């Protein structure tokens, strides 16, 4: 069997959730959209079910998968419903929905529901992706408040640049939120992972941590809280072939690596079709049987190559970690023109194996 696999440490996931929730000081929805950033939404939600206040997903398909797996905690649809037809399902499965656009307010007005739905009314405080514009927010809130089939209304917004700790934009968005929601009763929710970690003034009743739950920092720089996160995923495979090359010989597609010295090349059964970044550069860190090593040559679809010259003890069958306990995912990110988000949610084809 192909040895590529992602080990998922559910104890680490719980540890990171507790850290995130404690930091926010209120409650926290564990964001498990995109199959829990590649970690498997059902297994991750089940592991958090006893302690999480609820979960957040991108769409009703993701929410129903959690319900079908027996997850009973609140589940929030972060983009709300895509079509008014979903409202019946939202009530039937006891989901919470974001409302981010005027048409969604109108759809709720037109659609009587058998029991009240909890709404998270999203303000566009400056990201300009989705959300109700500030001048229209109060009117949207009041129209929803007047509906008997709308239960609690949580005021929410989302930050565009919270990962840039010296950028004034987050504080400006916060001011916009405070002004647009002034005097409206009810709870608030603002923070994603970078805001929770970097912007204490944005903490509110509900946090929405995603990335940090999986043990990866949203910041490029060192940070005392992110140092306490534990990596949840370890992506690994094995060496399946070894080549000895004289100096001057190339390795792989495009000859992107040319041996400068006699080089022992290890071929690892894992490639970009498994989610490893295709454009990781020569020298991207890996761990070879627990020892620091490096990627050489261009990553192929199903294989990649590493330098075994200084690892004489390693050979066919050696375990190679691409990221996880020994190689922080952030290091793979720093060497491959991608983001931690895309790195994690791009993992596919490999078997997910759970412990904890
Ligand atoms: C994805 C998402 C989050 C989680 O963001 P992280 O940066 O992964 O913590 C929070 N809120 C909304 C609206 C999102 O779409």
């Amino acid at each position: 069997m192909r040895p590529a696999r992602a080990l998922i440490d559910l104890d680490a996931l719980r540890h990171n959730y507790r850290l995130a929730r404690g930091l926010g000081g209120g409650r926290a929805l564990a964001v498990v959209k995109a199959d829990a950033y590649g970690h498997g939404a059902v297994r991750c939600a089940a592991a958090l079910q006893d302690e999480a206040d609820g979960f957040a997903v991108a769409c009703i398909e993701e929410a129903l998968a959690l319900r079908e797996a027996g997850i009973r905690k609140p589940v929030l649809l972060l983009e709300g419903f895509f079509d008014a037809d979903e409202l019946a399902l939202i009530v039937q499965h006891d989901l919470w929905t974001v409302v981010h656009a005027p048409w969604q307010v109108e759809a709720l007005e037109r659609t009587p529901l058998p029991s009240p739905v909890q709404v998270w009314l999203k303000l566009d405080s400056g990201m300009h992706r989705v959300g109700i514009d500030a001048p229209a927010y109060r009117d949207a809130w009041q129209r929803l408040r007047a509906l008997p089939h709308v239960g609690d209304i949580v005021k929410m917004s989302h930050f565009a640049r919270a990962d840039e700790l010296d950028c004034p934009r987050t504080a400006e968005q916060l001011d916009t939120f405070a002004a647009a929601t002034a005097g409206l009763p009810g709870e608030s929710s603002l923070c994603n992972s970078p805001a929770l970690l970097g912007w204490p003034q944005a903490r509110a009743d509900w946090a929405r941590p995603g990335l940090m739950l999986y043990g990866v920092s949203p910041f490029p720089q060192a940070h005392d809280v992110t140092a306490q996160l534990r990596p949840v995923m370890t992506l690994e495979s094995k060496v399946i072939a070894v080549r000895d090359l004289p100096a001057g010989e190339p390795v792989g597609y495009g000859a992107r690596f040319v041996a400068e010295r006699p080089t022992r090349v290890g071929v690892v059964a894992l490639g970009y079709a498994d989610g490893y970044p295709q454009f990781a550069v020569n020298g991207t860190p890996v761990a070879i049987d627990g020892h620091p090593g490096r990627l050489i040559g261009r990553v192929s679809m199903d294989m990649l190559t590493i330098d075994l010259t200084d690892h004489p003890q390693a050979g066919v069958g050696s375990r190679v970690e691409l990221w996880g306990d020994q190689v922080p995912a952030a290091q793979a990110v720093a060497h491959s023109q991608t983001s931690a988000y895309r790195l994690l949610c791009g993992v596919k084809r490999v078997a997910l194996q759970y412990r904890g």
Side-chain angles (χ1 to χ4, degrees):
M1 216 167 76
R2 192 165 179 258
R5 57 182 191 162
L7 303 170
I8 308 294
D9 180 349
L10 298 171
D11 272 337
L13 178 70
R14 284 185 286 262
H15 164 87
N16 297 336
Y17 176 82
R18 276 178 222 129
L19 199 66
R21 190 178 191 276
L23 205 58
R27 283 172 286 173
L29 294 183
V31 179
V32 295
K33 62 189 177 187
D35 208 20
Y37 295 46
H39 295 66
V42 163
R43 293 296 300 266
C44 288
L48 289 171
Q49 153 112 302
D50 288 343
E51 49 194 304
D53 300 304
F55 300 97
V57 295
C59 57
I60 195 152
E61 290 84 352
E62 292 181 343
L64 294 183
L66 296 184
R67 286 286 184 256
E68 274 156 28
I71 305 294
R72 303 264 52 97
K73 286 283 174 76
V75 177
L76 174 67
L77 306 176
L78 287 169
E79 284 150 57
F81 43 96
F82 292 76
D83 193 301
D85 294 349
E86 289 172 26
L87 282 167
L89 278 174
I90 286 173
V91 169
Q92 184 190 338
H93 293 279
D94 199 15
L95 307 174
W96 296 352
T97 183
V98 163
V99 167
H100 65 74
W103 75 263
Q104 291 176 323
V105 177
E106 287 154 25
L108 276 163
E109 285 177 329
R110 275 199 318 270
T111 317
L113 298 169
S115 56
V117 61
Q118 176 162 152
V119 167
W120 289 43
L121 184 60
K122 187 166 186 175
L123 171 74
D124 177 5
S125 59
M127 182 161 181
H128 303 326
R129 190 178 57 179
V130 294
I132 308 282
D133 292 337
Y137 191 82
R138 194 166 296 270
D139 177 61
W141 189 93
Q142 273 154 354
R143 283 167 59 187
L144 291 175
R145 188 62 294 149
L147 299 176
H149 55 273
V150 168
D152 291 341
I153 305 176
V154 176
K155 297 160 284 177
M156 78 175 283
S157 195
H158 193 53
F159 296 119
R161 302 181 67 179
D163 55 332
E164 298 170 61
L165 295 175
D166 51 1
C167 171
R169 191 65 179 163
T170 300
E172 288 165 19
Q173 284 197 254
L174 208 47
D175 289 345
T176 302
F177 181 81
T181 62
L184 297 177
E187 295 178 321
S188 300
S189 175
L190 290 159
C191 288
N192 56 0
S193 299
L196 198 50
L197 289 157
W199 298 88
Q201 62 274 49
R203 292 172 191 165
D205 303 287
W206 289 92
R208 308 185 306 270
L211 186 68
M212 70 180 291
L213 298 181
Y214 308 102
V216 178
S217 172
F219 307 127
Q221 65 271 43
H223 182 283
D224 51 346
V225 180
T226 62
Q228 298 168 47
L229 294 172
R230 285 167 48 190
V232 175
M233 180 190 293
T234 297
L235 183 67
E236 63 172 43
S237 189
K238 286 185 173 164
V239 174
I240 57 164
V242 174
R243 283 276 173 292
D244 283 299
L245 296 183
E249 281 300 309
V251 176
Y253 287 118
R256 207 203 47 202
F257 176 85
V258 178
E260 284 171 0
R261 55 175 180 169
T263 297
R264 196 160 166 258
V265 178
V267 180
V268 180
L270 194 133
Y272 63 78
D274 305 295
Y276 192 83
Q278 184 181 9
F279 300 111
V281 297
N282 292 326
T284 300
V286 301
I288 303 163
D289 284 333
H291 304 288
R294 63 184 195 124
L295 179 87
I296 53 175
R298 199 154 96 190
V299 174
S300 306
M301 188 180 287
D302 313 311
M303 289 176 272
L304 54 79
T305 40
I306 58 175
D307 189 349
L308 292 181
T309 315
D310 300 326
H311 298 265
Q313 77 293 351
V316 170
S318 285
R319 175 183 173 274
V320 179
E321 175 181 312
L322 291 316
W323 63 74
D325 287 328
Q326 286 156 343
V327 180
Q331 284 194 21
V333 168
H335 286 81
S336 55
Q337 291 180 349
T338 188
S339 69
Y341 295 88
R342 193 172 143 194
L343 188 81
L344 295 180
C345 75
V347 170
K348 55 184 193 296
R349 188 167 72 179
V350 301
L352 300 180
Q353 291 180 7
Y354 295 88
R355 64 188 148 97

